[in-house]
Amino acid sequence: MVEGMWDWKPDILGAPFEQTTLPLGEDNEGEVVATLVRSLAAPSTWWRRLAGDQRELTDVDVLYVHGWSDYFFQRRLAQFWTDRGANFYALDLRKYGRSLRPGQTPGFITDLTTYDEDIAAALAAMGFKTDRARADRRLVLMGHSTGGLTLSLWAARHAGVASAVVLNSPWLELQITGITRQAVAAFLQLTAKVRPMDVGPQVDLGFYSRAQREVAVADDAYEINLDWRPERTMPVHAGWLNAIVTGQHTVEAGLGIDVPVCVMLSQRTWIGVRWSAEALTSDTVLVVDDIAKASLKLGRSVTIERIDGALHDVFLSNRAARDDAYATLGRWVDHMLRP
């Protein structure tokens, strides 16, 4: 990476996190940017190796992409990778989080391939190209929820670039199936063509945000910017939801990702209209059994890890489930990415 080409500044998360803005031109709402956040591992110098440096991922760079109505804020997730010697990068996509500009519709796009521009800009800042792997560094893609869907589709279209894909509750399947799903998809496709900015009903009752607050642990503390990650999800527009469903149809047809994929999910789903303690130990966003089934269409080497008691973001679950999630990912990483 040519360091001088990128203006790295201190990030809102504090040291060791830095960020750089990635210009992406303009659209009908004005300036469009993405933001890349990084936390670099201590370099593997000769004296570290002489002292017995045991870190096995010193040739790895991780690119993380957040989910819907979200942005990157998980310090411990970055530390998981940097403790193993990997450099960690997180991308706030256009119109999300650090990249959201006044007057923009949060998170709005009409085609998930639009994010190819965001990812290409991030990889350029990391020293990677989008058409081939590096000889000296390995790339790991890590995505949560819609970020998991986006990166799965990207990895399938850009074979040979990444070395592994890690998905945290990827949104690979709509929460409805069968004839109803087909009817909804057809309605969305039509609406997206004529009225893409139509807003759907608010179905988020705030249970997911409440569950995260109630299970939070003191030694993995984080603060949420409610302008970037509201208590209840951001408005859902027809054009955006049609893009999601279109991406899910592509997954259903089979992606053929050519590198190992790890899919991490809760053991159970709970979706209700009144608060219940079950929300503290369940995915309240996706039907996890449907996601597990859809995951089998991702590629030829797919590991599905079910975390008992996990929330939708398995790394923001209660302490036991959170520790289990990190230990599980650690075992997979140590096996699949060992030099």
Side-chain angles (χ1 to χ4, degrees):
M1 179 173 64
V2 182
E3 197 67 25
M5 293 177 61
W6 310 102
D7 184 19
W8 292 98
K9 298 178 179 179
D11 185 62
I12 57 173
L13 295 179
F17 294 94
E18 300 176 299
Q19 65 162 272
T20 188
T21 300
L22 309 173
L24 299 173
E26 295 186 354
D27 66 9
N28 62 340
E29 294 184 330
E31 177 193 31
V32 179
V33 303
T35 308
L36 189 63
V37 180
R38 73 178 182 182
S39 178
L40 302 181
S44 182
T45 55
W46 66 268
W47 59 267
R48 277 184 175 272
R49 293 190 292 272
L50 190 64
D53 190 349
Q54 298 298 311
R55 299 174 305 164
E56 294 189 328
L57 303 185
T58 54
D59 66 332
V60 168
D61 290 316
V62 178
L63 178 61
Y64 172 87
V65 176
H66 57 81
W68 167 246
S69 197
D70 208 351
Y71 71 103
F72 172 70
F73 58 88
Q74 297 94 327
R75 294 182 179 88
R76 184 181 172 187
L77 182 62
Q79 186 178 352
F80 167 88
W81 292 101
T82 57
D83 282 350
R84 286 166 166 76
N87 293 328
F88 180 86
Y89 295 83
L91 180 60
D92 276 12
L93 297 167
R94 63 182 69 200
K95 304 186 183 184
Y96 283 97
R98 299 164 179 83
S99 307
L100 183 62
R101 297 295 183 261
Q104 292 182 335
T105 305
F108 183 75
I109 45 88
T110 57
D111 190 332
L112 291 179
T113 62
T114 301
Y115 293 136
D116 284 9
E117 298 176 9
D118 306 51
I119 295 170
L123 291 178
M126 295 166 61
F128 287 85
K129 298 183 182 298
T130 60
D131 60 349
R132 60 185 180 275
R134 280 177 58 169
D136 60 329
R137 304 287 299 174
R138 292 180 289 166
L139 175 66
V140 174
L141 301 175
M142 184 174 192
H144 170 55
S145 199
T146 56
L149 173 62
T150 298
L151 286 181
S152 296
L153 295 166
W154 189 92
R157 294 194 305 271
H158 298 81
V161 178
S163 295
V165 178
V166 178
L167 305 176
N168 170 9
S169 302
W171 194 13
L172 305 180
E173 178 64 88
L174 210 58
Q175 290 87 323
I176 53 177
T177 58
I179 296 176
T180 303
R181 179 175 181 262
Q182 295 173 13
V184 169
F187 174 76
L188 277 173
Q189 188 176 36
L190 178 61
T191 305
K193 287 181 179 179
V194 296
R195 296 192 305 273
M197 298 302 293
D198 272 12
V199 177
Q202 174 60 271
V203 296
D204 181 5
L205 301 178
F207 296 158
Y208 179 42
S209 295
R210 176 176 173 179
Q212 286 185 351
R213 287 196 306 272
E214 293 198 13
V215 303
V217 296
D219 55 358
D220 187 15
Y222 54 85
E223 296 180 2
I224 301 296
N225 184 328
L226 293 178
D227 291 331
W228 296 348
R229 195 176 192 263
E231 289 282 311
R232 301 171 69 187
T233 186
M234 301 183 302
V236 172
H237 297 85
W240 175 84
L241 189 54
N242 182 62
I244 297 297
V245 172
T246 300
Q248 292 171 343
H249 280 314
T250 304
V251 173
E252 187 176 20
L255 292 187
I257 295 174
D258 62 348
V259 295
V261 180
C262 179
V263 178
M264 306 187 70
L265 299 166
S266 178
Q267 279 280 28
R268 64 187 64 86
T269 292
W270 178 83
I271 297 176
V273 296
R274 294 185 179 180
W275 172 258
S276 167
E278 291 186 65
L280 302 176
T281 56
S282 307
D283 190 322
T284 58
V285 178
L286 303 180
V287 180
V288 290
D289 287 346
D290 291 346
I291 303 301
K293 182 178 179 180
S295 298
L296 300 178
K297 299 293 187 70
L298 292 172
R300 63 181 180 85
S301 176
V302 179
T303 302
I304 300 173
E305 299 284 3
R306 305 293 290 267
I307 307 300
D308 190 28
L311 302 182
H312 177 52
D313 186 332
V314 300
F315 299 109
L316 297 181
S317 306
N318 64 70
R319 182 182 295 277
R322 191 179 309 202
D323 289 348
D324 185 18
Y326 278 112
T328 299
L329 179 58
R331 288 191 295 271
W332 189 86
V333 164
D334 292 345
H335 176 67
M336 290 297 186
L337 294 178
R338 182 174 295 136

